[in-house]
Amino acid sequence: MGSATEYNRRDIFKRAAGIAVIAATGGSLLTACAGGTGSSDSKGSKKAGEYDLKNADNPFGVDPKLGLEAFIFDGGYGKDYLAAFAAIYTKKFPDAKVNQQADKDITGKLQPRFNAGSPPDVIDDSGNKQIKLDVLVDSDQLVDLAPLLDAPYIDDPSKKIRDVLLPGTIESGTVKGKVYNISYAYTMWGLWYSGKLLKDNGWTAPKTWAEFITLCEQAKAKGIAPLAHQGKYPYYINVAILDMIAKQGGLDLMKRIDALEPAAWDDPAVKTAVEAFYQVIDKDFLLPGTNGMTHTESQTAWNQYKAVFIPSGSWLENEQLSSTPADFEMTFLPMPSLPGDKLPFEAIRAGAGEPFIVPKKAKNVAGGLEFLRMMLTKEASGKFAQAANSLTCLKDGVGPEVQLKPGTKSTVAALAAAGANTFNFQYPNTASKFDEDLQNASGELVAKRITPAEWIKRAKESATKNKTA
């Protein structure tokens, strides 16, 4: 995202899938972390149940004069939001200086500090150079965030933090049965279009697949490609294909796919959805050359009105700031509905990502916990939305007073319309080889080198192989 590498974009895509466990890599880090020495002046590090969670003002017992260090990943969401968070913290604790740090290389900068027992107090452990969360958990480096979840919600102390988080947030922060991170950014996936382009041509955003195909035909007749996609990275087009399968077959089918159940691919919903999507290829609706484009190339062409729709996650607006025309009116669209869908048109793929952690050996553990609690307020959530052009994991976290860019504003409306109808696939993280096979198959499908039936056959074969691997 943004200045991050494409590998990192994929990493964020996977992490936001709401998966509990991230695959461990690099045994040397585990050994190094396990061998680190403790910090003797760590303050506020207590066991669950030892905090005064009835104290809405200072449940973790923060020392108001003790400084705090916050270290974030400098990626697609930028780093401007950190200053806003720091200002909220110092407003409450004016004698506490907040040391703000941001870098792309989390492992390079922070692994030595974990080893030495002097990590920052709160960390956004993200990016392709993230220190793997389960490695940190295995080496007993992280604070269990159960007390944070049970702490009073600052905006309404009658509620607990866990009561105001969007679906999937707690699950995405869970490693081996305990919550060790708050995945703060809330990502949504679907199609995107220019409101200006549709208005200028008298088109209405489609809600059904039939309406989508009709609009595509009209666009093609006017010399505008109906759909661009990030062809070098087929997981984007898989958002469209798999969302259509999920909507047609429902949550049960989605769970069967996640479980690598081979028979799931025999479900009629799969054939219906894939054959419907294949119309885009069969009718020559793709932007010429898009199958070989990077995310930047395809998204920029879309910003230039060379295509009507493009699939992506909700980081798209922030990523495309420099190439999006001022009057473009970037707008989010759920995947249009097929006849007989088990999920409504408003249903969307959504999940939490960007994991924030508090190290056990930090000098100001209590401050780190309180910093996270402050992040989970409408004020902080609104500041993040403005600075990073993204929603957060806080329910109704962006009030009407917050001035949002068009794309982010459209995701707020879409999430409200979806209500409880949000879903997410887990296989990108739980079955990476299957995910890779499915991406490769989709690359062949959009290039018209295989048929929908062959695509389904490949998916079933990969599920069978990886189920028993």
Side-chain angles (χ1 to χ4, degrees), residues 309-324:
F309 299 102
I310 195 165
S312 187
S314 51
W315 60 75
L316 179 66
E317 184 167 47
N318 205 52
E319 186 168 69
Q320 294 300 111
L321 287 178
S322 63
S323 60
T324 304

Side-chain angles (χ1 to χ4, degrees), residues 101-112:
Q101 302 287 333
D103 202 281
K104 298 184 189 306
D105 187 0
I106 298 297
T107 293
K109 296 294 183 181
L110 298 187
Q111 182 183 336

Side-chain angles (χ1 to χ4, degrees), residues 206-440:
K207 290 188 175 182
T208 69
W209 192 248
E211 291 170 353
F212 178 81
I213 294 298
T214 297
L215 194 157
C216 288
E217 289 170 340
Q218 293 170 344
K220 186 179 177 183
K222 288 195 173 188
I224 306 170
L227 182 71
H229 77 107
Q230 305 82 340
K232 286 195 173 181
Y233 312 109
Y235 54 82
Y236 286 93
I237 205 65
N238 271 354
V239 169
I241 298 171
L242 271 294
D243 280 12
M244 291 179 73
I245 291 173
K247 285 189 170 187
Q248 177 73 191
L251 299 181
D252 179 63
L253 177 59
M254 188 189 76
K255 290 175 182 176
R256 291 169 64 202
I257 289 172
D258 276 335
L260 301 188
E261 184 182 316
W265 296 98
D266 297 325
D267 192 296
V270 174
K271 184 173 185 287
T272 298
V274 179
E275 287 184 348
F277 176 79
Y278 192 71
Q279 289 178 273
V280 170
I281 298 126
D282 204 35
K283 292 177 178 287
D284 197 24
F285 287 162
L286 293 179
L287 173 71
T290 195
N291 287 342
M293 290 183 181
T294 65
H295 62 291
T296 304
E297 291 166 341
S298 61
Q299 290 162 193
T300 299
W302 172 70
N303 279 149
Q304 295 167 347
Y305 303 108
K306 293 178 181 177
V308 182
F309 299 102
I310 195 165
S312 187
S314 51
W315 60 75
L316 179 66
E317 184 167 47
N318 205 52
E319 186 168 69
Q320 294 300 111
L321 287 178
S322 63
S323 60
T324 304
D327 59 353
F328 190 79
E329 295 180 40
M330 192 178 292
T331 311
F332 176 83
L333 179 73
M335 286 306 297
S337 296
L338 290 167
D341 273 2
K342 291 186 178 178
L343 296 178
F345 161 72
E346 292 81 8
I348 53 174
R349 183 192 298 224
E354 216 65 20
F356 279 77
I357 57 176
V358 176
K360 265 190 180 181
K361 296 172 184 175
K363 291 183 179 179
N364 190 0
V365 168
L369 290 169
E370 185 64 15
F371 194 86
L372 290 181
R373 191 170 78 111
M374 289 179 175
M375 284 170 55
L376 297 166
T377 60
K378 284 185 179 289
E379 179 185 7
S381 185
K383 299 281 189 186
F384 184 82
Q386 285 182 304
N389 295 299
S390 171
L391 302 183
T392 73
C393 61
L394 181 69
K395 288 179 185 175
D396 303 317
V398 181
E401 74 285 354
V402 178
Q403 297 300 309
L404 301 174
K405 292 187 181 300
T408 307
K409 192 173 182 180
S410 74
T411 62
V412 173
L415 189 60
N421 289 307
T422 59
F423 61 90
N424 217 335
F425 282 95
Q426 297 187 357
Y427 73 81
N429 240 8
T430 57
S432 58
K433 186 61 176 71
F434 171 74
D435 180 32
E436 182 182 331
D437 289 344
L438 207 55
Q439 289 183 37
N440 290 337

